[in-house]
Amino acid sequence: MEQEKPIYSLYGYVVWFVISLFVVFAFSLNTAAGVFSGAIEHSLNLSASQTTIAMGAFIIGFALMQIPAGALLDRFNNKLIVSCAILIMASGAFLISRSSTIVTFSLANLVMGIGGSFAFVAAGKSVSKWFSFAAFPIMFGLTNTLSCLSTGFIHGLLIDQLATNSWQSVYLMLALAGVILCVITVIFFKEPRSQVSEKSSEKPPSLISSVMAVVRIPGLWLCALSAGLSFGALLAYVSFWYVKVQDFYKVEEPNIIFLATLTFIGIGVGAFFWGLVAKYVKPLTTLIHSTLILGTLFLLLGIYLPHFNINTLIFAEIIAFCIGFFLAGSQLFYTIAAEMVPKHLTGIALSVVNTVVFLVNTLLLSLPYVFRTETSTFYNTLWLFPFCIVLSIGLLVYMKSPKQLASN
């Protein structure tokens, strides 16, 4: 990333908070598959694999729109783009509340995913505009901290609502929440004045040339693949498969929800902590390498260590937190990607990484079912998750940080 004079303004924290709310909204709906799947499966008379595929339409829309979302955020007024994206997502939630077949349910998830695709990239873009690059991993990590901590709490609220309301009613409430969030964005979201004046005085490059300038960077695709194999695997595990793993070990439902929440808390705390540590450890690949190795060890324990019925399940709780905490180091791949390009192309670079992350996420939601045989269960195929992270660690050997590239 080009080193530009940072913008110091207290209002930057207001913008950060508003855009982080969008990330919370999008991330909560993206990871709510485990919460809604049972009720939707029963209501629409679907099999478990059909429900997974239908909900995967969210992530397909999410992934397909990533690069266009980054290009639009790089080129046009972010307030307009973000407001429209939130409305699209709210519209998708409303359409889901009116769905009665797998086709309409899938299409509504696709629409919601298209709107949600802007959230993560918009957050990274806003942080790069309002804060110095040294603060990027910290503030971006804080966004993920807020997102993950809130997601665990929101999932608990969704479960409570499902106990007294239909899943259609709950999605209708989520649509209303999206409309309120859109109003908040219109009122409080702003762009730095200096960058607004620069955009008005300079002729921006074409969308195609901007995208091509980014996708031609080989190191960016290596970074994206590594992020997908690690962070994408983590998201698929904690948002869907974690519930099935704990159920396999006969853990009671309240404890399952608590353990899943602990993993989200671990991701949130880890994202901020490793963002702070990143200021002192160079190159970043060294820090990512260490966190992924430790995260893989805890993931193996989480999947294959029997959950003995110990009073508070303290071992399972520690493991659940550590899985999220250490594997949260994979989010530093976004910092590496942002540093590879000029600031005006940050949106596209982050969107490339996010595209691969959520494609891998989508694949891993159903791939364990594909590997299952007549004599095995889903449990026998969950080696896919640590295997993907090990592959990510292997790719780090060939990855160089932007500063290393500059010194060669």
Side-chain angles (χ1 to χ4, degrees), residues 256-283:
I256 292 177
I257 301 304
F258 180 65
L259 290 172
T261 301
L262 277 176
T263 304
F264 278 116
I265 292 174
I267 296 173
V269 174
F272 175 62
F273 179 77
W274 301 123
L276 287 175
V277 175
K279 293 181 64 176
Y280 308 101
V281 179
K282 302 297 178 183

Side-chain angles (χ1 to χ4, degrees), residues 195-250:
Q195 295 193 16
V196 172
S197 60
E198 286 175 9
K199 281 188 176 182
S200 62
S201 60
E202 296 179 5
K203 182 180 180 181
S206 67
L207 284 173
I208 295 178
S209 62
S210 297
V211 171
M212 293 306 296
V214 174
V215 299
R216 287 174 179 169
I217 303 174
L220 182 64
W221 288 103
L222 186 61
C223 177
L225 183 57
S226 297
L229 289 170
S230 52
F231 192 45
L234 173 62
L235 288 180
Y237 176 72
V238 72
S239 66
F240 186 77
W241 289 105
Y242 192 88
V243 174
K244 295 186 179 297
V245 170
Q246 303 309 318
D247 185 61
F248 178 84
Y249 284 116
K250 309 301 180 184

Side-chain angles (χ1 to χ4, degrees), residues 18 34 62 66 76 94 97 114 150 158 166 191 252 353 373 396:
V18 171
F62 199 106
Q66 280 298 291
F76 298 109
F94 175 77
S97 71
I114 289 173
S150 300
L158 294 177
S166 67
E191 293 197 75
E252 296 180 358
V353 176
T373 65
L396 279 169

Side-chain angles (χ1 to χ4, degrees), residues 24-77:
V24 169
F25 186 56
F27 189 65
S28 295
L29 290 181
N30 175 33
T31 58
V35 176
F36 287 108
S37 60
I40 294 172
E41 183 179 322
H42 176 74
S43 176
L44 299 184
N45 195 27
L46 305 175
S47 66
S49 58
Q50 285 177 320
T51 305
T52 303
I53 293 171
M55 288 190 149
F58 178 101
I59 303 172
I60 292 174
F62 199 106
L64 291 177
M65 276 300 295
Q66 280 298 291
I67 293 178
L72 290 171
L73 288 164
D74 281 339
R75 186 178 179 86
F76 298 109
N77 183 285

Side-chain angles (χ1 to χ4, degrees), residues 193-403:
R193 290 182 180 179
S194 60
Q195 295 193 16
V196 172
S197 60
E198 286 175 9
K199 281 188 176 182
S200 62
S201 60
E202 296 179 5
K203 182 180 180 181
S206 67
L207 284 173
I208 295 178
S209 62
S210 297
V211 171
M212 293 306 296
V214 174
V215 299
R216 287 174 179 169
I217 303 174
L220 182 64
W221 288 103
L222 186 61
C223 177
L225 183 57
S226 297
L229 289 170
S230 52
F231 192 45
L234 173 62
L235 288 180
Y237 176 72
V238 72
S239 66
F240 186 77
W241 289 105
Y242 192 88
V243 174
K244 295 186 179 297
V245 170
Q246 303 309 318
D247 185 61
F248 178 84
Y249 284 116
K250 309 301 180 184
V251 178
E252 296 180 358
E253 185 171 333
N255 287 328
I256 292 177
I257 301 304
F258 180 65
L259 290 172
T261 301
L262 277 176
T263 304
F264 278 116
I265 292 174
I267 296 173
V269 174
F272 175 62
F273 179 77
W274 301 123
L276 287 175
V277 175
K279 293 181 64 176
Y280 308 101
V281 179
K282 302 297 178 183
L284 282 182
T285 50
T286 300
L287 178 58
I288 297 173
H289 187 271
S290 301
T291 58
L292 291 189
I293 288 176
L294 291 171
T296 303
L297 293 176
F298 279 103
L299 181 61
L300 286 168
L301 287 176
I303 296 175
Y304 296 111
L305 180 67
H307 292 48
F308 300 108
N309 189 22
I310 303 172
N311 293 332
T312 59
L313 296 174
I314 187 65
F315 292 129
E317 292 166 358
I318 294 172
I319 291 170
F321 176 83
C322 289
I323 288 172
F325 180 74
F326 287 107
L327 291 182
S330 60
Q331 294 194 25
L332 291 174
F333 283 117
Y334 290 97
T335 302
I336 294 178
E339 195 176 6
M340 287 183 175
V341 298
K343 183 169 286 189
H344 69 278
L345 296 177
T346 304
I348 300 175
L350 294 176
S351 68
V352 168
V353 176
N354 231 24
T355 298
V356 179
V357 166
F358 284 96
L359 283 175
V360 174
N361 184 8
T362 304
L363 183 65
L364 287 176
L365 286 177
S366 56
L367 198 58
Y369 286 122
V370 176
F371 277 77
R372 188 174 56 184
T373 65
E374 293 181 358
T375 58
S376 70
T377 65
F378 77 91
Y379 178 76
N380 302 105
T381 65
L382 292 183
W383 56 266
L384 285 166
F385 291 94
F387 178 73
C388 284
I389 299 171
V390 169
L391 284 180
S392 178
I393 295 171
L395 290 177
L396 279 169
V397 176
Y398 304 99
M399 187 182 302
K400 294 182 179 180
S401 70
K403 291 182 180 178

